[in-house]
Amino acid sequence: MDLKQLEYIMEIAKEKNITHAAEKIFISQSALNQQLLKLEKELGAKLFYRHRNSWELTEIGKIYLENVEKILKIKKETYDRIEDLLEEKKVKLKVGIPQGRWIELFIYIYKKLKEKYPKIQIEPFELSVQELQKKISIGEIDIGIVSLEKNQQTKDKYLILYEEELVLIKVKNFEREKNIKNSVNLFSFKDKEFIFPTKTSTSREIIDKIFKLENINPKIIFETHSMESLVTAVISGIGYGIVPYYYAEKYKEKLKIYKLKSEPRWDIAVSYSKDIYVSKVIKDFIKYAQEFLENFKKSDI
């Protein structure tokens, strides 16, 4: 069995297009097509329905791909176990981080791992939480840092590192304007205009719940994919926002911060596939993430 051939088939299934798949794995389309035809001849069955714009797996193709994923995971686990036993580790670690979030955490872990494993290759991927979860599940990312509620977890493994509060923010109008130490009721702000994260964001589901619990139909002036953009809009004075405390603390000189009586929270966690061998490198990744977040203490507001 040619494992490289299996990886080629995985790429065609992922891209749903043989031309795009060939470009991704840096071989010619004709060479990739020959590999596919050779395999289909060996199996005596077609693996793909060839449509003009999209290639779809046949039923036999779906069965084949399901088992290819298992074989490739076994290959990766085997290599990980061998690397754990080698003194000189030349490991490649694919790490997922949320877009615009936790870059400081990633840099801290990166430096620590490079110090312990000088030959390690660490490849970061900045993606949405949903995209990270998908890539972790299919083995394209080894470990990721995610922010979400427990009900947003997939069947993969999650280790909770930190519980973070979401807070209400507005622009600070006066330099000495103080943050509200006592909790406020969101209903008091029902007539204010808000900037929201987009519906694809894991934070949006939580924020929608907060307003629903208070029986408020929020006045949303616009939505954004970026929490940094949301905070920038609030600082400009055009509206209010609800954000993870990390962002409120980051821009506290320019923001007035309110704790909410409902005390909404979500989890900061590391996630990895339920099927993978947890190597020493991944264990160290988790240890360094815990170290960093122990020092990430929430200030009083």
Side-chain angles (χ1 to χ4, degrees), residues 9-181:
I9 302 306
M10 281 276 290
E11 200 63 40
I12 297 171
K14 186 172 75 173
E15 294 296 324
K16 297 186 176 183
N17 182 294
I18 195 165
T19 304
H20 295 164
E23 288 170 357
K24 281 285 184 75
I25 53 182
F26 305 106
I27 66 170
S28 68
Q29 181 181 330
S30 60
L32 182 56
N33 192 48
Q34 285 173 15
Q35 289 287 335
L36 174 59
L37 292 172
K38 180 182 174 183
L39 178 59
E40 288 181 327
K41 184 178 179 182
E42 181 185 322
L43 294 170
K46 296 286 184 186
L47 295 177
F48 294 93
Y49 294 115
R50 276 87 157 163
H51 303 301
R52 182 170 185 148
N53 297 319
S54 177
W55 285 32
E56 301 293 338
L57 287 163
T58 62
E59 286 305 309
I60 289 172
K62 288 175 184 176
I63 294 168
Y64 188 82
L65 191 72
E66 181 183 333
N67 287 283
V68 164
E69 288 173 350
K70 291 177 184 175
I71 292 165
L72 293 177
K73 281 180 180 176
I74 291 169
K75 175 197 168 186
K76 186 178 186 311
E77 179 176 330
T78 302
Y79 278 64
D80 285 344
R81 286 177 179 270
I82 291 169
E83 284 164 354
D84 269 355
L85 297 173
L86 296 176
E87 262 184 55
E88 290 295 316
K89 299 178 177 66
K90 190 175 182 180
V91 185
K92 187 169 185 179
L93 187 69
K94 295 182 179 180
V95 177
I97 54 176
Q99 291 167 327
R101 182 84 200 267
W102 294 122
I103 189 64
E104 298 96 336
L105 171 57
F106 170 75
I107 291 169
Y108 179 86
I109 296 169
Y110 179 91
K111 287 180 176 178
K112 289 282 190 178
L113 288 176
K114 287 294 281 187
E115 185 180 329
K116 186 167 183 178
Y117 307 103
K119 293 187 177 182
I120 194 170
Q121 297 175 13
I122 304 172
E123 188 176 358
F125 295 82
E126 281 194 283
L127 300 164
S128 70
V129 171
Q130 291 92 340
E131 289 172 316
L132 285 179
Q133 287 175 314
K134 183 178 178 182
K135 288 188 177 291
I136 287 167
S137 180
I138 62 177
E140 289 186 9
I141 286 178
D142 299 309
I143 191 164
I145 303 161
V146 294
S147 308
L148 74 182
E149 285 190 299
K150 286 182 176 60
N151 68 306
Q152 294 171 323
Q153 293 181 8
T154 59
K155 292 180 180 178
D156 287 308
K157 298 286 186 181
Y158 291 84
L159 178 65
I160 309 304
L161 302 174
Y162 176 70
E163 192 180 66
E164 183 180 34
E165 190 170 357
L166 278 74
V167 293
L168 176 68
I169 58 171
K170 70 178 279 287
V171 65
K172 190 180 282 187
N173 295 318
F174 305 101
E175 194 173 331
R176 294 186 179 180
E177 191 174 9
K178 293 182 179 179
N179 295 320
I180 305 299
K181 287 189 177 289

